[in-house]
């Protein structure tokens, strides 16, 4: 199993550009999430999904969109990048229920100039 | 208001020392998670526990549900243990997690 994969690992954008961060998991997990990690702050939830076709907002959703057309994939779209979105982004999945151990992807380091 | 608080924020230890990282939480949890993140690296789950104690090699995690407190212990610390350790509380059985800000551990040879 590859676990949770993310692409790209690094990305530099100019203000106003759009892009999609890819996330996929091969563990048949129902729950998937996107977090951002900033210095001095805990992981903050951007959007999450409890199954294919179902998504919801987390703590910091503004400027981001998600979709979940399949169980495996959960892409995160930046609509119009801003410097405040410079961060490290992690995708995670878990199977939910009593065993909700989180599996994290390797992260995407994004810089917005 | 932080639902999960960790201490210390930073910790430097000599190789071989016994290390303790503490986590307090204010929410009703279904499980308490300890995560490890090496510099520039991904995040790995070390432990998930809802009661008592768990041990993997030199790492031990304990939880006191009544006091809403958990500890991560590292015995015979080694430079490869240098990482950020993150405490997270999961609420309910799904996707709601509260994360601490992490404890940065440096183990000096």
């Amino acid at each position: 199993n590859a676990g949770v994969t993310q692409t790209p690992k690094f990305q530099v954008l100019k203000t106003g550009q759009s892009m999609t961060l890819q996330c996929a998991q091969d563990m048949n997990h129902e729950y998937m999430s996107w977090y951002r990690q900033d210095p001095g702050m805990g992981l903050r939830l951007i959007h999450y999904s409890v199954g294919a076709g179902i998504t919801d907002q987390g703590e910091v959703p503004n400027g981001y969109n998600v979709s979940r057309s399949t169980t495996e994939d959960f892409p995160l779209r930046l609509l119009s990048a801003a410097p405040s979105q410079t961060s490290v982004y992690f995708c995670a999945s878990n199977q939910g229920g009593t065993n909700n151990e989180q599996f994290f992807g390797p992260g995407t380091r994004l810089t917005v100039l | 208001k932080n639902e999960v608080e960790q201490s210390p924020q930073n910790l430097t230890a000599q190789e071989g020392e016994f290390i303790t990282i503490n986590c307090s939480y204010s929410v009703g949890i279904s499980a308490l998670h300890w995560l490890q993140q090496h510099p520039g690296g991904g995040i790995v789950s070390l432990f998930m526990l809802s009661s008592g104690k768990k041990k993997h090699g030199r790492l031990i995690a304990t939880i006191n549900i009544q006091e809403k407190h958990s500890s991560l212990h590292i015995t015979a610390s080694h430079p490869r243990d240098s990482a950020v350790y993150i405490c997270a509380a999961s609420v309910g059985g799904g996707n709601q997690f509260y994360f601490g800000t992490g404890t940065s551990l440096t183990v000096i040879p």
Side-chain angles (χ1 to χ4, degrees):
Chain A
N1 286 351
V4 180
T5 57
Q6 285 182 240
T7 55
K9 295 196 83 168
F10 302 93
Q11 183 70 49
V12 178
L13 292 177
K14 294 181 180 176
T15 296
Q17 287 185 315
S18 62
M19 79 159 295
T20 299
L21 279 62
Q22 301 292 343
C23 173
Q25 53 92 11
D26 61 0
M27 297 172 282
N28 203 34
H29 286 168
E30 289 298 322
Y31 293 85
M32 296 187 75
S33 305
W34 276 103
Y35 298 94
R36 60 178 291 172
Q37 186 180 44
D38 300 294
M41 306 184 77
L43 289 159
R44 292 186 292 168
L45 182 64
I46 304 171
H47 285 284
Y48 67 96
S49 170
V50 299
I54 306 169
T55 63
D56 207 344
Q57 297 181 348
E59 181 186 354
V60 287
N62 292 340
Y64 308 95
N65 272 358
V66 291
S67 59
R68 184 99 180 268
S69 56
T70 66
T71 300
E72 294 77 19
D73 299 301
F74 191 43
L76 177 73
R77 295 183 188 84
L78 279 71
L79 309 171
S80 177
S84 60
Q85 293 178 304
T86 294
S87 188
V88 181
Y89 292 85
F90 288 97
C91 179
S93 74
N94 74 80
Q95 68 180 39
T98 55
N99 181 15
N100 63 348
E101 178 185 1
Q102 286 265 51
F103 292 82
F104 288 85
T108 296
R109 186 173 293 273
L110 175 68
T111 301
V112 182
L113 303 175
Chain B
K1 168 174 89 92
N2 293 327
E3 289 82 4
V4 176
E5 299 275 2
Q6 283 184 240
S7 63
Q9 278 192 307
N10 297 286
L11 182 55
T12 301
Q14 290 291 132
E15 183 173 357
E17 284 186 6
F18 181 84
I19 289 163
T20 296
I21 299 170
N22 295 300
C23 175
S24 297
Y25 54 91
S26 59
V27 292
I29 65 165
S30 57
L32 193 288
H33 305 250
W34 283 101
L35 312 171
Q36 180 191 56
Q37 184 176 25
H38 279 102
I43 300 170
V44 175
S45 176
L46 296 174
F47 294 102
M48 182 178 74
L49 65 166
S50 54
S51 65
K53 174 174 153 178
K54 286 191 175 180
K55 183 175 188 291
H56 290 157
R58 295 180 293 105
L59 272 61
I60 303 166
T62 64
I63 188 167
N64 184 317
I65 298 294
Q66 286 73 29
E67 295 187 3
K68 295 191 171 181
H69 182 269
S70 176
S71 293
L72 177 68
H73 306 285
I74 304 175
T75 62
S77 59
H78 190 277
R80 66 175 173 264
D81 298 325
S82 298
V84 174
Y85 293 84
I86 301 168
C87 172
S90 59
V91 177
N95 214 57
Q96 191 169 7
F97 289 83
Y98 296 96
F99 293 90
T101 54
T103 294
S104 179
L105 171 66
T106 302
V107 181
I108 300 170

